[in-house]
Amino acid sequence: MPISVRVDAVPDNGGRGAGEGHLAANPRALRRLAANGWTAGIVLACVLMIFAPPTAQIGAWGWAAGLGIQALSAAGCFAYVRSRTISPRLLLVITWLLPVDIAAMQWLGGGWSAPYHELLLLSLILGSASMSMRRFAPFAIAVAALALAPAVYAPDPDALVGVVTELVVWLFVSSALAMLMTRVRGQAKLARRDPLTRLGNRRAFDERFAATTGEVVLGIGDLDGFKAINDVHGHLLGDTCLTAVGATLARHARREDEVFRWGGDEFAVLLPATPADAAGDVFARLEAAVASEVFDPTGAPVAITFGWAAGGPGSDLRTLTEAADAALRARKTPRPRRAAA
């Protein structure tokens, strides 16, 4: 009887431990990128207000509107930097709001005569560096539409030609950068993926743990009697067993949990924002799922045992790992393997 396996059930994103899509490849770097890009846009917009007052459309009230827009942008930037979680979706929102901010300042400044549209290049650079090509394409189209919006409320054919020329160059450069960054992120994602189970590897685990800011439970699971499977049935079937276990853990983990291949026949699971007294139920369910869905060639169920430890903000990974290891050894008692039915 072959070992049961559902490889197709494993998410093809480097595993739950490797983050979601391109934007989560390096959350801390993306936080810095968004904060720096947004801050630069705010500062430059404030400087340009001195030379191009935002008074063309609504008079002196334009100063209040312009400063209000920048104040709201600054507040949003500060809230993002100070947030406890690093959200790729929030980064997308930030990236989309920046060109809207710039377009509003362009309108307040009177259209083509105001220089605010030059800051749209900053938006394109931020978008190309943080988005996949699939997301960057509609973003670039939207930025182009905002850049050309003055043609509707302040027509000027000569200015339009100049902006279109700039826009073509900007779109070419930013699209090339987006393709390059998509390729780089794809290679980085592969470096964080275990090639056998397609879960996040130890490197992905270390990076994800470093990005954790709240309470977390670390669970380390070890297969029972795995050496016997390798010795009796060969390493190829042993690899199939590991693949099946990884797929089962990924399939039955909660949506917020993250599963990694720790190394050898060990797996790690991070449970964010989970009380220590609730972690036992989570790991008991994962152990039961593996025992009921994964079987060795003789038909006997494959078992996994978890040990876990809870940590708070700023927990030391080594200390938490040692505690989880100790809990695993305490629970790792010899288990008689059930015979096939």
Side-chain angles (χ1 to χ4, degrees):
M1 177 185 297
I3 293 174
S4 64
V5 57
R6 285 179 55 185
V7 179
D8 60 308
V10 183
D12 189 20
N13 63 353
R16 295 190 183 187
E20 287 185 302
H22 294 297
L23 290 178
N26 193 333
R28 289 185 181 275
L30 290 173
R31 183 195 288 270
R32 291 193 297 269
L33 174 67
N36 292 339
W38 209 357
T39 301
I42 294 170
V43 171
L44 290 173
C46 290
V47 171
L48 289 177
M49 288 174 66
I50 300 174
F51 303 98
T55 56
Q57 300 292 347
I58 56 177
W61 286 103
W63 284 105
L67 291 173
I69 290 173
Q70 303 315 314
L72 288 175
S73 295
C77 181
F78 180 78
Y80 178 71
V81 171
R82 298 286 295 177
S83 63
R84 293 175 60 87
T85 58
I86 300 175
S87 170
R89 291 184 178 85
L90 184 54
L91 176 58
L92 282 175
V93 172
I94 290 173
T95 308
W96 276 90
L97 285 179
L98 183 56
V100 174
D101 177 340
I102 296 169
M105 295 301 299
Q106 187 74 25
W107 177 78
L108 289 171
W112 299 119
S113 60
Y116 298 99
H117 69 274
E118 302 288 349
L119 299 180
L120 289 173
L121 176 59
L122 182 64
S123 296
L124 288 171
I125 292 175
L126 178 60
S128 62
S130 61
M131 295 179 178
S132 65
M133 278 301 299
R134 178 175 59 85
R135 285 176 170 150
F136 179 71
F139 175 76
I141 293 173
V143 171
L146 290 173
L148 298 175
V152 176
Y153 60 82
D156 184 338
D158 293 334
L160 176 62
V161 172
V163 171
V164 168
T165 302
E166 281 186 334
L167 195 56
V168 170
V169 175
W170 293 352
L171 291 175
F172 176 80
V173 173
S174 59
S175 296
L177 178 59
M179 288 188 287
L180 174 62
M181 293 303 297
T182 297
R183 182 175 180 180
V184 170
R185 285 190 293 266
Q187 292 173 343
K189 186 170 66 171
L190 288 176
R192 293 164 175 80
R193 174 187 295 172
D194 174 54
L196 179 64
T197 63
R198 293 194 290 177
L199 297 172
N201 58 17
R202 184 64 177 267
R203 178 179 180 180
F205 170 85
D206 289 343
E207 292 179 355
R208 177 56 71 186
F209 184 86
T212 301
T213 57
E215 294 184 351
V216 66
V217 173
L218 166 62
I220 298 178
D222 179 82
L223 297 188
D224 300 341
F226 179 71
K227 184 176 184 299
I229 295 177
N230 275 338
D231 292 345
V232 175
H233 305 288
H235 287 82
L236 289 179
L237 283 177
D239 287 349
T240 304
C241 174
L242 292 172
T243 303
V245 171
T248 301
L249 292 175
R251 190 164 58 250
H252 288 277
R254 301 174 306 175
R255 183 176 181 82
E256 65 271 22
D257 299 337
E258 297 180 278
V259 183
F260 306 83
R261 186 181 178 194
W262 186 262
D265 64 331
E266 292 185 325
F267 295 84
V269 182
L270 285 177
L271 310 181
T274 302
D277 55 358
D281 293 337
V282 176
F283 290 114
R285 182 164 52 82
L286 293 177
E287 290 175 349
V290 171
S292 63
E293 295 186 15
V294 185
F295 303 88
D296 72 10
T298 69
V302 173
I304 187 171
T305 302
F306 277 98
W308 58 91
S315 293
D316 178 67
L317 177 57
R318 180 173 181 176
T319 302
L320 195 61
T321 300
E322 290 175 348
D325 269 332
L328 173 60
R329 290 193 299 271
R331 298 190 69 232
K332 193 78 170 177
T333 55
R335 296 184 181 182
R337 302 187 71 193
R338 291 180 294 173

